[in-house]
Short mmCIF file of all heavy atoms in Angstrom, two decimals:
data_model
loop_
_atom_site.label_atom_id
_atom_site.label_comp_id
_atom_site.label_asym_id
_atom_site.label_seq_id
_atom_site.Cartn_x
_atom_site.Cartn_y
_atom_site.Cartn_z
N GLY I 612 -74.07 -43.97 33.63
CA GLY I 612 -74.68 -45.29 33.72
C GLY I 612 -73.89 -46.25 34.59
O GLY I 612 -72.93 -45.87 35.26
N PHE I 613 -74.32 -47.51 34.57
CA PHE I 613 -73.67 -48.54 35.38
C PHE I 613 -72.40 -49.02 34.70
O PHE I 613 -72.37 -49.26 33.49
CB PHE I 613 -74.62 -49.71 35.63
CG PHE I 613 -75.74 -49.38 36.57
CD1 PHE I 613 -76.98 -49.01 36.10
CD2 PHE I 613 -75.54 -49.40 37.95
CE1 PHE I 613 -78.02 -48.70 36.96
CE2 PHE I 613 -76.55 -49.08 38.82
CZ PHE I 613 -77.79 -48.72 38.34
N GLN I 614 -71.35 -49.18 35.50
CA GLN I 614 -70.04 -49.55 34.99
C GLN I 614 -69.61 -50.88 35.64
O GLN I 614 -69.73 -51.05 36.85
CB GLN I 614 -69.00 -48.48 35.33
CG GLN I 614 -69.46 -47.05 35.09
CD GLN I 614 -69.61 -46.70 33.62
OE1 GLN I 614 -68.87 -47.22 32.78
NE2 GLN I 614 -70.55 -45.82 33.30
N PHE I 615 -69.09 -51.78 34.79
CA PHE I 615 -68.47 -53.01 35.28
C PHE I 615 -67.07 -53.02 34.68
O PHE I 615 -66.87 -53.45 33.55
CB PHE I 615 -69.29 -54.23 34.84
CG PHE I 615 -68.80 -55.54 35.41
CD1 PHE I 615 -69.02 -55.86 36.74
CD2 PHE I 615 -68.14 -56.46 34.61
CE1 PHE I 615 -68.58 -57.07 37.26
CE2 PHE I 615 -67.70 -57.66 35.11
CZ PHE I 615 -67.92 -57.97 36.45
N ARG I 616 -66.10 -52.52 35.45
CA ARG I 616 -64.78 -52.23 34.91
C ARG I 616 -63.69 -53.02 35.62
O ARG I 616 -63.73 -53.19 36.86
CB ARG I 616 -64.45 -50.74 35.04
CG ARG I 616 -65.47 -49.79 34.41
CD ARG I 616 -65.57 -49.96 32.91
NE ARG I 616 -64.28 -49.90 32.26
CZ ARG I 616 -63.68 -48.74 31.90
NH1 ARG I 616 -64.28 -47.58 32.16
NH2 ARG I 616 -62.51 -48.76 31.30
N SER I 617 -62.74 -53.49 34.86
CA SER I 617 -61.57 -54.11 35.46
C SER I 617 -60.65 -53.01 35.94
O SER I 617 -60.55 -51.94 35.32
CB SER I 617 -60.85 -55.01 34.46
OG SER I 617 -60.18 -54.25 33.48
N ILE I 618 -59.97 -53.26 37.05
CA ILE I 618 -59.03 -52.26 37.58
C ILE I 618 -57.90 -52.04 36.58
O ILE I 618 -57.40 -50.92 36.43
CB ILE I 618 -58.52 -52.71 38.96
CG1 ILE I 618 -59.69 -52.77 39.94
CG2 ILE I 618 -57.45 -51.74 39.48
CD1 ILE I 618 -59.33 -53.32 41.31
N ASP I 619 -57.51 -53.11 35.88
CA ASP I 619 -56.49 -52.96 34.83
C ASP I 619 -56.89 -51.92 33.79
O ASP I 619 -56.09 -51.07 33.40
CB ASP I 619 -56.26 -54.31 34.13
CG ASP I 619 -55.24 -55.17 34.84
OD1 ASP I 619 -54.76 -54.75 35.92
OD2 ASP I 619 -54.95 -56.27 34.36
N SER I 620 -58.13 -51.99 33.32
CA SER I 620 -58.57 -51.06 32.27
C SER I 620 -58.71 -49.64 32.80
O SER I 620 -58.44 -48.68 32.08
CB SER I 620 -59.90 -51.53 31.67
OG SER I 620 -60.94 -51.47 32.63
N LEU I 621 -59.11 -49.48 34.05
CA LEU I 621 -59.19 -48.14 34.63
C LEU I 621 -57.81 -47.51 34.73
O LEU I 621 -57.62 -46.32 34.44
CB LEU I 621 -59.85 -48.20 36.02
CG LEU I 621 -61.34 -48.55 36.06
CD1 LEU I 621 -61.81 -48.69 37.50
CD2 LEU I 621 -62.16 -47.51 35.33
N ILE I 622 -56.82 -48.30 35.13
CA ILE I 622 -55.46 -47.78 35.25
C ILE I 622 -54.87 -47.46 33.89
O ILE I 622 -54.03 -46.56 33.76
CB ILE I 622 -54.57 -48.80 36.01
CG1 ILE I 622 -54.99 -48.85 37.49
CG2 ILE I 622 -53.10 -48.47 35.90
CD1 ILE I 622 -54.24 -49.85 38.32
N SER I 623 -55.34 -48.16 32.84
CA SER I 623 -54.77 -48.00 31.49
C SER I 623 -55.45 -46.90 30.69
O SER I 623 -55.41 -46.93 29.45
CB SER I 623 -54.87 -49.32 30.74
OG SER I 623 -54.22 -50.35 31.43
N GLN I 624 -56.07 -45.93 31.34
CA GLN I 624 -56.73 -44.86 30.62
C GLN I 624 -55.72 -44.04 29.81
O GLN I 624 -54.56 -43.89 30.19
CB GLN I 624 -57.49 -43.95 31.59
CG GLN I 624 -58.65 -44.65 32.26
CD GLN I 624 -59.35 -43.79 33.29
OE1 GLN I 624 -59.47 -42.59 33.11
NE2 GLN I 624 -59.82 -44.40 34.38
N LYS I 625 -56.18 -43.51 28.68
CA LYS I 625 -55.29 -42.79 27.77
C LYS I 625 -54.71 -41.53 28.44
O LYS I 625 -55.45 -40.77 29.06
CB LYS I 625 -56.05 -42.41 26.51
CG LYS I 625 -56.52 -43.61 25.68
CD LYS I 625 -57.24 -43.18 24.44
CE LYS I 625 -57.69 -44.38 23.62
NZ LYS I 625 -58.42 -43.98 22.39
N PRO I 626 -53.40 -41.31 28.28
CA PRO I 626 -52.75 -40.15 28.92
C PRO I 626 -53.34 -38.81 28.52
O PRO I 626 -53.38 -37.89 29.33
CB PRO I 626 -51.29 -40.28 28.45
CG PRO I 626 -51.11 -41.72 28.12
CD PRO I 626 -52.44 -42.17 27.59
N ASP I 627 -53.83 -38.70 27.26
CA ASP I 627 -54.36 -37.41 26.81
C ASP I 627 -55.70 -37.07 27.46
O ASP I 627 -56.18 -35.94 27.35
CB ASP I 627 -54.51 -37.39 25.29
CG ASP I 627 -55.43 -38.49 24.77
OD1 ASP I 627 -55.71 -39.44 25.53
OD2 ASP I 627 -55.87 -38.41 23.62
N LYS I 628 -56.31 -38.04 28.16
CA LYS I 628 -57.57 -37.79 28.84
C LYS I 628 -57.38 -37.61 30.35
O LYS I 628 -58.36 -37.50 31.09
CB LYS I 628 -58.55 -38.93 28.57
CG LYS I 628 -58.98 -39.04 27.10
CD LYS I 628 -60.03 -40.11 26.92
CE LYS I 628 -60.49 -40.18 25.46
NZ LYS I 628 -61.53 -41.22 25.27
N ILE I 629 -56.14 -37.58 30.79
CA ILE I 629 -55.86 -37.47 32.22
C ILE I 629 -55.58 -36.00 32.56
O ILE I 629 -54.57 -35.44 32.11
CB ILE I 629 -54.66 -38.36 32.61
CG1 ILE I 629 -54.99 -39.83 32.37
CG2 ILE I 629 -54.28 -38.13 34.07
CD1 ILE I 629 -53.84 -40.77 32.64
N PRO I 630 -56.44 -35.35 33.33
CA PRO I 630 -56.18 -33.96 33.73
C PRO I 630 -55.10 -33.87 34.80
O PRO I 630 -54.89 -34.82 35.56
CB PRO I 630 -57.53 -33.49 34.26
CG PRO I 630 -58.18 -34.74 34.77
CD PRO I 630 -57.72 -35.85 33.87
N THR I 631 -54.42 -32.76 34.85
CA THR I 631 -53.35 -32.55 35.82
C THR I 631 -53.75 -31.44 36.79
O THR I 631 -54.12 -30.34 36.37
CB THR I 631 -52.03 -32.18 35.12
OG1 THR I 631 -51.64 -33.24 34.25
CG2 THR I 631 -50.92 -31.94 36.14
N TYR I 632 -53.67 -31.73 38.08
CA TYR I 632 -53.96 -30.75 39.13
C TYR I 632 -52.69 -30.47 39.92
O TYR I 632 -51.92 -31.40 40.23
CB TYR I 632 -55.06 -31.26 40.06
CG TYR I 632 -56.45 -31.16 39.47
CD1 TYR I 632 -56.98 -32.18 38.71
CD2 TYR I 632 -57.21 -30.01 39.66
CE1 TYR I 632 -58.24 -32.09 38.15
CE2 TYR I 632 -58.48 -29.90 39.11
CZ TYR I 632 -58.99 -30.94 38.36
OH TYR I 632 -60.24 -30.83 37.81
N THR I 633 -52.47 -29.20 40.24
CA THR I 633 -51.24 -28.78 40.91
C THR I 633 -51.59 -28.07 42.21
O THR I 633 -52.50 -27.23 42.26
CB THR I 633 -50.43 -27.83 40.01
OG1 THR I 633 -50.16 -28.48 38.77
CG2 THR I 633 -49.11 -27.45 40.68
N TYR I 634 -50.87 -28.43 43.25
CA TYR I 634 -51.06 -27.75 44.54
C TYR I 634 -50.05 -26.62 44.66
O TYR I 634 -48.85 -26.80 44.49
CB TYR I 634 -50.87 -28.71 45.70
CG TYR I 634 -51.03 -28.04 47.05
CD1 TYR I 634 -52.29 -27.71 47.53
CD2 TYR I 634 -49.92 -27.71 47.82
CE1 TYR I 634 -52.46 -27.09 48.76
CE2 TYR I 634 -50.07 -27.09 49.05
CZ TYR I 634 -51.34 -26.78 49.52
OH TYR I 634 -51.50 -26.16 50.72
N THR I 635 -50.56 -25.44 44.90
CA THR I 635 -49.72 -24.28 45.14
C THR I 635 -50.44 -23.34 46.08
O THR I 635 -51.67 -23.24 46.05
CB THR I 635 -49.37 -23.54 43.84
OG1 THR I 635 -48.67 -22.34 44.15
CG2 THR I 635 -50.63 -23.19 43.05
N GLN I 636 -49.69 -22.67 46.90
CA GLN I 636 -50.30 -21.72 47.82
C GLN I 636 -50.43 -20.33 47.21
O GLN I 636 -50.89 -19.40 47.85
CB GLN I 636 -49.47 -21.65 49.11
CG GLN I 636 -49.51 -22.95 49.90
CD GLN I 636 -48.70 -22.88 51.18
OE1 GLN I 636 -47.76 -22.11 51.29
NE2 GLN I 636 -49.06 -23.70 52.15
N VAL I 637 -50.01 -20.21 45.94
CA VAL I 637 -50.11 -18.94 45.22
C VAL I 637 -51.20 -19.05 44.19
O VAL I 637 -51.18 -19.95 43.34
CB VAL I 637 -48.77 -18.57 44.53
CG1 VAL I 637 -48.91 -17.26 43.77
CG2 VAL I 637 -47.66 -18.49 45.57
N ASN I 638 -52.19 -18.17 44.23
CA ASN I 638 -53.29 -18.18 43.27
C ASN I 638 -52.89 -17.37 42.05
O ASN I 638 -52.74 -16.15 42.11
CB ASN I 638 -54.54 -17.58 43.92
CG ASN I 638 -55.76 -17.71 43.01
OD1 ASN I 638 -55.68 -18.28 41.93
ND2 ASN I 638 -56.87 -17.17 43.45
N GLN I 639 -52.70 -18.06 40.91
CA GLN I 639 -52.28 -17.39 39.70
C GLN I 639 -53.51 -16.79 39.02
O GLN I 639 -54.09 -17.36 38.12
CB GLN I 639 -51.57 -18.37 38.78
CG GLN I 639 -50.34 -19.02 39.43
CD GLN I 639 -49.68 -20.02 38.52
OE1 GLN I 639 -49.70 -19.87 37.31
NE2 GLN I 639 -49.09 -21.05 39.11
N THR I 640 -53.90 -15.60 39.48
CA THR I 640 -55.14 -14.99 39.04
C THR I 640 -55.15 -14.62 37.57
O THR I 640 -56.20 -14.45 36.97
CB THR I 640 -55.42 -13.73 39.87
OG1 THR I 640 -54.28 -12.86 39.78
CG2 THR I 640 -55.65 -14.08 41.33
#
């Protein structure tokens, strides 16, 4: 839906909901 968000609140998102992406040239199959 439509969002009207303060940048402060977007930056303050809960750490447990933040996914982590890693760059590597090795594919861990």
Side-chain angles (χ1 to χ4, degrees):
F613 289 97
Q614 316 290 328
F615 186 74
R616 305 297 308 276
S617 72
I618 297 175
D619 274 4
S620 65
L621 291 175
I622 290 177
S623 302
Q624 293 177 36
K625 296 181 179 179
D627 59 344
K628 295 185 178 181
I629 296 176
T631 299
Y632 283 89
T633 304
Y634 179 76
T635 174
Q636 294 181 334
V637 179
N638 186 3
Q639 302 178 32
T640 55

